[in-house]
């Protein structure tokens, strides 16, 4: 990647951090870097390529320098999951962008390949690797997006508990779970538990279990 293209993508990330991803446009980006919009097209051909480049720039920061080859497959997947969560805490808008754009830039594809190789090392049959990669990506990005958007709630009671208090009466499932829904959310513990469940599922697929 050329230095000028990196500068342009970093400027786009800065605009998103300051004003939200919806404010990222070719015109706003041109103003930020001090060129005309037409001058940007030598580096990014259109808005779609710009967004894909932003995804790649974000994901480039998730790649360990040595590709984590000294770690076991499950340690590499866990490290990547934590890195994604950390990244979306730093850039709350990023999770929705990751959900909406395919992994097409070289850095984005390298992240996918990191997951592929970890699953292959785990013993997952080749035919199941792409499916499990999508499952892992959906869980990690989905958790990060829910956390960043406030869907899970932060520093307060889990908002899911309030759904049981409807005008027409109690909901049986919510009533049964009320003692647990009324506990403060511990998203760090929940994320770790979810990762553990995901690793067990991968091992089950690798072992040929349903």
């Amino acid at each position: 990647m050329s230095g000028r293209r990196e500068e342009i993508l970093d400027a786009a990330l800065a605009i998103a951090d300051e004003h939200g991803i919806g404010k990222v446009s070719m015109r706003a980006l041109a103003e930020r870097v001090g060129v005309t919009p037409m001058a940007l097209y030598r580096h990014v051909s259109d808005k779609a390529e710009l967004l894909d480049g932003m995804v790649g720039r974000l994901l480039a920061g998730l790649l360990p320098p040595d590709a984590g080859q000294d770690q076991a497959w499950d340690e590499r997947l866990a490290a990547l999951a934590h890195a994604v969560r950390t990244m979306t805490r730093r850039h709350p808008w990023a999770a929705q962008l990751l959900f909406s754009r395919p992994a097409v830039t070289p850095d984005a594809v390298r992240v996918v390949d990191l997951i592929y190789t970890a699953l292959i090392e785990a013993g997952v049959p080749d035919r199941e690797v792409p499916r499990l990669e999508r499952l892992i990506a959906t869980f990690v990005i989905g958790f990060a997006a829910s956390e960043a958007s406030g869907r899970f709630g932060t520093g307060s009671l889990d908002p899911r508990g309030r759904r049981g208090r409807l005008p027409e009466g109690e909901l049986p499932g919510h009533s049964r779970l009320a003692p647990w829904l009324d506990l403060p959310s511990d998203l760090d513990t929940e994320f770790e538990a979810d990762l553990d469940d995901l690793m067990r599922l991968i091992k089950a697929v690798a072992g040929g279990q349903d």
Side-chain angles (χ1 to χ4, degrees), residues 18 24 38 58 90 95 105 144-145 154 158 176 181 183 187 189:
E18 295 168 13
V24 175
M38 289 302 296
L58 289 169
R90 188 163 57 247
T105 65
T154 56
D158 189 329
R176 179 185 176 92
L181 293 176
L183 292 175
L187 295 182
T189 299

Side-chain angles (χ1 to χ4, degrees), residues 13 21 51-52 54-55 58 93-102:
L13 296 178
I21 189 65
L51 294 176
D52 289 339
M54 291 173 68
V55 169
L58 289 169
W93 50 267
Q96 292 300 329
L97 180 62
L98 293 174
F99 256 141
S100 65
R101 307 302 305 175

Side-chain angles (χ1 to χ4, degrees), residues 166-177:
L166 300 177
E168 59 269 27
E170 294 288 326
L171 298 175
H174 285 71
S175 296
R176 179 185 176 92
L177 299 175

Side-chain angles (χ1 to χ4, degrees), residues 34-164:
V35 299
T36 65
M38 289 302 296
L40 291 178
Y41 291 110
R42 291 197 297 270
H43 305 280
V44 285
S45 61
D46 54 25
K47 177 72 174 291
E49 185 178 335
L50 173 62
L51 294 176
D52 289 339
M54 291 173 68
V55 169
R57 194 74 173 133
L58 289 169
L59 294 182
L62 306 182
L63 290 167
D66 59 355
Q69 292 304 315
D70 58 337
Q71 296 177 307
W73 67 267
D74 53 344
E75 293 173 329
R76 298 202 301 275
L77 290 180
L80 179 61
H82 284 290
V84 171
R85 190 176 177 216
T86 297
M87 181 261 288
T88 56
R89 285 174 163 177
R90 188 163 57 247
H91 308 288
W93 50 267
Q96 292 300 329
L97 180 62
L98 293 174
F99 256 141
S100 65
R101 307 302 305 175
V104 295
T105 65
D107 287 321
V109 173
R110 288 188 188 98
V111 172
V112 174
D113 197 68
L114 186 153
I115 300 173
Y116 282 171
T117 55
L119 293 172
I120 292 168
E121 184 180 316
V124 173
D126 288 359
R127 67 180 181 278
E128 297 291 348
V129 168
R131 179 179 70 83
L132 285 187
E133 182 276 327
R134 289 189 290 270
L135 176 63
I136 292 167
T138 300
F139 157 65
V140 174
I141 300 172
F143 192 104
S146 294
E147 188 174 29
S149 67
R151 178 176 176 267
F152 285 162
T154 56
S156 61
L157 298 182
D158 189 329
R160 288 171 290 189
R162 296 194 295 271
R163 292 202 296 255

